[in-house]
Every structure is written in structure tokens, then in C-alpha cells.
Amino acid sequence: MDSKFTKPYNPTENESAIYELWEKSGYFTPENLPNATEGPFTIIMPPPNANGQIHAGHALFVTLEDIMIRYKRMKGFKTLWLPGTDHAGFETQVVYEKKLEKEGRSRFNMDRDKLHAEIIDFVQTYKKATEDGLRKLGASCDWTREKFTLDPDIIQTVYDTFKQMFDDGLIYRGKRIVNWCTKHQTSLSDLETLSENRKDKLYYIQYGPLVVATVRPETMFGDVAVAVNPNDERYKQYLGQELEVQTPIGKMKLKVIADEAVEKDFGTGALKITPAHDANDFEIGQRHNLPTIEVIDCYGKLNEKTGKYVGMKINEAREAVVKDLTEMGLLLKTEDYEHNVAICYKCGRIIEPRIIPQWFVKMDQLAQKAIVAVREKKIRIIPNHQEKIFCHWLDNIRDWNISRQIVWGIPIPAKLCEKCDYAIVDIENKKTICPECGGKLIKDSDTFDTWFSSGQWPYATLGYPDSNDFKTYYPTDVMNTASDIIFFWVARMVMFGFYRTGQIPFHTVYLHGLVRDAKNQKMSKSKNNVIDPTVIAEKYGTDALRMALVVGNTPGTDMALAEDKIKGYKHFANKIWNITRFILENSPKQEELNIDLTPIDEKILAEFRALTANVTNDMENFRFHLASEKIYQYAWHTLADVILEESKPIIFGKEETDRLSRIKILNVILLDLLKLLHPFMPFLTETIWQDLPQVKEEMLLVTRWPE
RNA sequence: GGGCGGUUAGCUCAGUUGGCUAGAGCGUAUCGUUGACGUCGAUAAGGUCACAGGUUCGAGCCCUGUACCGCCCACCA
């Protein structure tokens, strides 16, 4: 017997060599598969951000996708799992800014090109680390097709989409109110803001004959009207009138308008309208053709239109204005007030709504098609209840701001007129004169929201429109990703997919939950509870980690990952190892096993076949948490605890037919068990497979799944 | 303000179309140096399946309501 099996199983001794064996075989590339009798099966990997260490969430998605891919490969499908990494625009820029801050530097006094070059270097390092991490986790993906979100062909696809959408009127440049982060100096999409409950004051201020209630008295200098509900009897007499309003810096004139958006019962029922600094007011302003007066600058400070308050930060200015109003007798009442405010999802600072020209995507039509696809089950979302969430979001979607004032990203291929603000798409970068006014055109310095490009990932990576890959592998089969990016990413992929290819991008969306720590807390650096999967893999083996991530983890549900659980599956790996040893030790040469089975062995074998069918059924229905547990239970508590124990007297006994029959089925079960287990514990099973004397196929990786 | 999920053994969680005498892992207790494995084995304790109604021959699972926990969405200043 091979001496290898006499020692306990040592994962770290074997894993990298096994991975190398697979990778060198070329079987990760579907075209090289020896007997792919079935059609294509495709998963496009959600590209990890190339800006940090690989974490437990990556380990989970790699495990799930690798399970699907390995299973389908063994089923004879032409399996493509296309890997990639993401430049992750704003996310990476924020990470890099933090690094700059630590070094006492700032992006705002750096040359644009220098900053860009530095981030490229930074990303390259992490890109490499991410790729290594994926290999360590056993990802059987096709590295020959690896993509990066800034590859020239990807950018070209993104540009073509931008142009086409612009020509179709689905993209427009508009001067509209957007979410502005005063720290990061960029606008953000609605998804990139969070809302936070805050306790503020509600101030009742005398506005001429009326009283308005506001939490932001410092914006009063940007007021252009006072709005009331059209059915509010109290104010009917004032409609259309111009009020003379006293402020600490002089008098201003405000028209009284009527708008349905004003609630009669809130505050005094009279609302001051500041279109330049409030999204709601902006829309009211649009409806009534009101002008806009900006009084707060991009740093969140009051500007020269506010007289003596110029240069003050918003909070300072608020206090100062309140103090002055009080002294002037214009502040009538102050109430405690609890409300939600939008904050930047990265730094938590309050979003300052600002009016700046940005590129927007019109969402209505795109969204409706995506909703129909899901409602009609052309796209299936697992877990099912996410379909409702998906559709609800799309049903209430607003136009999407895709411009970002950051360096790290795909530049928007557009020109802007210095004189008249005319905007034009210019992918070839050739236009210099404004067709409207003859003014000089300058390049738009903004970059795309990273999701504008990653939303096109499924067809962009496959070389849409003309490549063979696109024709062969699109629409793809499964999109597996974390449920928290269903809107950011999944919804956008569906919309873009329809728009550009006329087809769904994938048939099934499999959403997984978050990996939390043993105490069910979110992993975070500050809590020091982050599990580094590569460290865990070193300690317990990748297979043990994979099992721990899969067994009992239902789709869409967050899971608690305890080190003890991982340790348990290390023991399981050793158990399989020793089952193998026991069977091999007691197996004579193969030719002696050409005998009929005893009735009891027939029964044992039938039970195993039933398990196989059961597991296969689970695999087909994405119930990996059940499939893995069933294999575990069978291997340990049926095969090892019962069958092997009962086999000892038979094997060491004198009844030759019983003995050979038993040995025969043990060998059959062992081989098939390794196959069932392979998608879950690929390293262990392949390591064993490579040393089995009775094995004919060169690699378990491409062996047929048992029927 | 809307929506979604959860509540099952001490802990973490499974439980597929209602058939369950409700399971697993870890933990706990007792026993076992058997010629695969002590990274082991055997045995055991531990549950009104959140609560209250209902449907059904039968409910952890379906329906109605309640409570608590978590999450998401939302332009009443």
C-alpha cells in the first residue's frame, strides 16, 4: 500500500500541487474538456475589488461557484467559469485616499495623472494577491479568459453602450440636484447614500406675514419662494403674492406658490423653498419654474451670497443664523425633531444636495423590461423572496447619475463646451469645436460610476457582439453574488443585458448572505474579528473551510462562521482519508473482485445509489447546504460507523464470497463517494484519487458524476 | 411611513411538495487503549418548534393575528 495513507491527511502538503496539476491540465478551459457531451454551462465570476485582501465573503462565493462548476463539469457540460478583478472606481479611490491621509498626503493637491499612476500600481499588487487567493481557494476557473474591468476591450464595450444610449435618448446631461459628498468631492448615486436617523431642531421662523418651519435656517439665503398646499384655506389669500421677508443680511422677496407636495399638517403648512440645496425643493422649483440660488459651496461652506456668514461651515452658520434671528425676534419657536438624513455610505458625512451638470441614465423603460423578465420567470432569483424586492426597487427607480468627480475610473468619453455648456459624446476624441456656438470643446474630466461598467460585465467579458465566446456562452447560466448588491449590480446587469443584447444576461441569480463571525457579528477590521480565508486554509485546509461555508448555509441567509466548525471539517477530511486507507489496506488485487454480490451488499449498494440520486437532486436545485450535509452524514455515520465496523468481521472472517463481495462494494462506494464529495472538497478527493490503484481516469476533476 | 426576513436543543443552524417518534455540528455527561482514524468509537441528557387562534385524518411547515429581533426601501420641510 502507498505509504502516503499511513500518515494523517495533511492538506497544506497537497493542495498547491493539486491545483497546479489541474491548472496545467488545461481543463479549466471548456474547449479542452475531454468528454463534454452536454452544452455550455457558464458562470461569470463577480470580479473581486482589486484594492484589498481577500476575505471570507470571497471564500463563500468562490466555494459556491466552484461547487456549481465542478458539478456541471463532471456532468459533462462544457463549463466556463470566467474570472476577473474589478478596478472598483470610488471604492478603490476611497481606500487609496485613506492611505494618502495616513502618509500625510491628499488627493486634492496631487497631479491627476500622478494620482492615477499611483493607484494603478496599488491595484496591480492587490490584483495579483486576489488571483493567488482564488487559486488557494480552489477556484477551477478559466484563467486564460481572465478579465480586468479596465481592459481596453471592456472599456470599448462600455463606450459603445454610452454612445448608443446617448443616441437613443436614454442618456442625457442635465443640471439637476445630486447627492454631493463634501469630503470626497464627488456626486453619488442614490444607492451610494445611506439614511441616518438624527435628532435636530425644527425652527419656526417669521417670513413676512407667514411662519415657516425648517431644520436648515442657514439655507434661507437661497430661498426663492414659500409653498403651501393648494387646499390650505389658511393661506389662500397669500397665493401669488410676493412676501417681503426679513433676514439677518437684509430683505428678500419671495413669491407664495401652491404645490401638492406640501403637507398641511406639518409644521405651519408653509414651506420655504430652497431649490439649490434640497431635493424636494428642487422638484417643486422645477414645477414652478423657479430660479436657483446657490449659497453653499462644494466644501459645505456658505458662500459670498450669504453676507457676513461667508466661509462658515453649515453647522456654524446654522447656530449663527439662529442666534441672529432670535435677536431680531424672528425665531418664534424651536422644537425637537427626529428625522432621516442622507449620508455618504463611505464617510458618513451628511450629503449636501447640489445642482451640478451630470450625466444621467433614464431608467423607466430599462427597469420595466427587467421587471417583466423576473415576473415571467425568465430570470429566477434564489431565494425566491428576493424577486419581490428586486421588482419593487425597479418599480420606484429614479434616473441614475453616472458621473463621478474622481480620477480612478473609466473616463466619460464626452466633450463639453466652455462657452455654452453643450455636451457631446466623443469616443474617438476628435471633436474640438462646439457645433452649437463654435466655442472650444474641453474633455469631460469626470469618470463613470463603476457600476455603469460592471453592469455590462456579462456580455463585455464574453466579447460582445461578434466573438464566438459571446455566441457560445451567452446568456450565461448562473450569477452568484452577495444579496447586498442586488440593486447596485444585478438589477443593472439585467437592464444593460436587455438593452444591448436583447437577451437576459443569466438564467438564475443565486444570492448568498454575509459571512459573520462566530458570535454573529459583522466582520470588520475595527472589531478585529475578520477571518482571513488564506490563513484559515493554511491552518485547516481549504476543503475544511469550504465545507464550513456550505453545510447548513441556506441561500440568502447570513451565516456565523466559527473556527470550531472549520476544525470539524478538517477532522472530516481526515476521516475520509482513513476510510480510504482502511479499504485499500484490505483490498486484494482488482481481478479477484469479479464475483456476485451477497444480498446484504446489494442492499448496501442500493442505499448508496439512493443517496447519490438524492444528492444529485439537491445539486440540480441549488441545495448545496443539504447535499453536502447528506454526503457528510453518509460518509461518517453510515459508511464509517456502521458499514466499515460491520465489515471487519466479514473481511477478517473465513467466508471468502462474503469477504470479496464486501470488499468489492466498499471499493465501488469509495470511488463514487469521492466523486460526490469532489465539488465540495476538491483537494482532498483529488489527492486520494491520484493514488488509487484502481482508478483509470487521469483526474477526478473530469470524471463523470455517478448515475 | 412602506416592505422583507427571522424566532426550532446550552450555542450555531438544517428541516425540499404538510406524513416528524422534530435532526446535525459544537458543547455537556458516562463508558471504551477493537489490527482505518483519539482528528476515534458507544451510550445518554437536553425541545409546549416565539405566542394566540384557525384549516386538515395529520401542522415546525398552510391561513389570521400578536410580540420580539434583524435587514432593506422612502424627497413631510
Side-chain angles (χ1 to χ4, degrees), chain A residues 123-139:
Chain A
V123 162
Q124 286 304 329
T125 310
Y126 280 115
K127 191 166 171 290
K128 176 76 178 48
T130 301
E131 290 156 2
D132 290 347
L134 296 177
R135 284 187 167 87
K136 186 142 194 67
L137 292 166

Side-chain angles (χ1 to χ4, degrees), chain A residues 159 162 167 322 346 367 512 521 567 641:
Chain A
Y159 280 2
F162 182 69
D167 292 343
V322 165
K346 281 292 162 195
H512 60 255
Q521 292 183 297
K567 198 164 129 195
D641 289 352

Side-chain angles (χ1 to χ4, degrees), chain A residues 509-537:
Chain A
V509 177
Y510 182 105
L511 298 168
H512 60 255
L514 253 50
V515 184
R516 296 162 173 272
D517 77 358
K519 291 175 198 146
N520 231 335
Q521 292 183 297
K522 257 189 189 174
M523 289 189 192
S524 74
K525 280 177 198 158
S526 54
K527 280 189 217 143
N528 199 24
N529 61 351
V530 176
I531 291 181
D532 180 338
T534 56
V535 172
I536 290 289

Side-chain angles (χ1 to χ4, degrees), chain A residues 177 207 214 216-226 271-285 290-296 352-353 355:
Chain A
I177 198 146
Y207 262 43
T214 180
R216 301 198 63 186
E218 76 281 4
T219 63
M220 68 189 301
F221 315 111
D223 286 359
V224 297
V226 172
L271 173 64
K272 73 187 211 49
I273 302 296
T274 326
H277 297 291
D278 183 283
N280 203 12
D281 292 4
F282 178 81
E283 289 190 3
I284 293 175
L290 299 174
T292 60
I293 305 171
E294 271 184 66
V295 293
I296 295 167
E352 182 56 47
I355 299 172

Side-chain angles (χ1 to χ4, degrees), chain A residues 126 366 582:
Chain A
Y126 280 115
L366 296 171
F582 179 80

Side-chain angles (χ1 to χ4, degrees), chain A residues 20-53:
Chain A
E20 218 172 285
L21 182 76
W22 290 329
E23 196 174 351
K24 281 194 178 143
S25 75
Y27 293 149
F28 292 171
T29 299
E31 286 73 18
N32 296 337
L33 287 171
N35 42 19
T37 52
E38 304 287 324
F41 178 85
T42 312
I43 297 178
I44 307 292
M45 182 187 291
N49 294 352
N51 61 20
Q53 298 298 331

